[in-house]
Amino acid sequence: MTGGEVVNKIQRGFTLIELMIVVAIIGILAAVALPAYKDYTIRARVSELVMELTSWKTQVSERAYSDGTLTNSGVGLTVTASGRISGGSVSDDGLIQVLGNDTTVGTAITLILTPTISGGSIMWACTTGNSAVYKYVPAECRH
């Protein structure tokens, strides 16, 4: 190489502005993703809460089938705080109410299951009583 020749070098790497653009894009994606992830985890926990209700639904259903009526189908049943359930109750007529709180589920939520007998089978209606938590509950509980 002689003194008069200019050597073209290929630049490698990113410029500062390109790195700043990438960091900004990652920041925007994180700002959108974190709240969605929080909602997703609460929905998953509420689904676990719904699954924990099956033992009481089964007991109420068995009594209702054997007696032929919902009257006294929930007598003697109690809801104990365990797993995702922080409290609740079962009425004498089989109405099941369970509570989840910030510690167990991630938000304060109440699920109410109301049984009815229709055509010889028991139908369960799920409600929350609070439309503010509809985004966390399964679709069948949003009424």
Side-chain angles (χ1 to χ4, degrees):
M1 185 163 89
T2 62
E5 293 179 26
V6 177
V7 178
N8 289 333
K9 292 186 177 181
I10 298 174
Q11 288 185 343
R12 297 187 182 200
F14 297 104
T15 64
L16 181 61
I17 192 74
E18 290 170 333
L19 290 173
M20 290 175 68
I21 290 170
V22 169
V23 169
I25 290 171
I26 291 171
I28 291 168
L29 290 174
V32 171
L34 288 176
Y37 176 73
K38 181 182 176 198
D39 287 351
Y40 172 77
T41 56
I42 292 173
R43 277 195 301 270
R45 291 177 186 153
V46 170
S47 293
E48 290 177 28
L49 185 69
V50 171
M51 292 304 297
E52 290 184 27
L53 291 172
T54 56
S55 66
W56 290 288
K57 284 174 59 174
T58 302
Q59 292 177 45
V60 168
S61 296
E62 286 176 355
R63 285 188 185 170
Y65 281 128
S66 66
D67 296 345
T69 181
L70 287 168
T71 305
N72 297 324
S73 62
V75 172
L77 297 178
T78 58
V79 175
T80 56
S82 66
R84 299 284 178 211
I85 297 173
S86 62
S89 63
V90 180
S91 73
D92 289 347
D93 292 334
L95 181 113
I96 304 168
Q97 180 176 355
V98 294
L99 309 170
N101 61 24
D102 290 336
T103 305
T104 61
V105 179
T107 189
I109 193 162
T110 301
L111 292 177
I112 304 164
L113 293 176
T114 309
T116 56
I117 295 180
S118 176
S121 63
I122 297 179
M123 307 299 290
W124 291 92
C126 178
T127 59
T128 63
N130 182 1
S131 62
V133 295
Y134 277 4
K135 65 181 178 179
Y136 302 125
V137 298
E140 64 267 11
C141 296
R142 295 179 189 159
H143 52 311

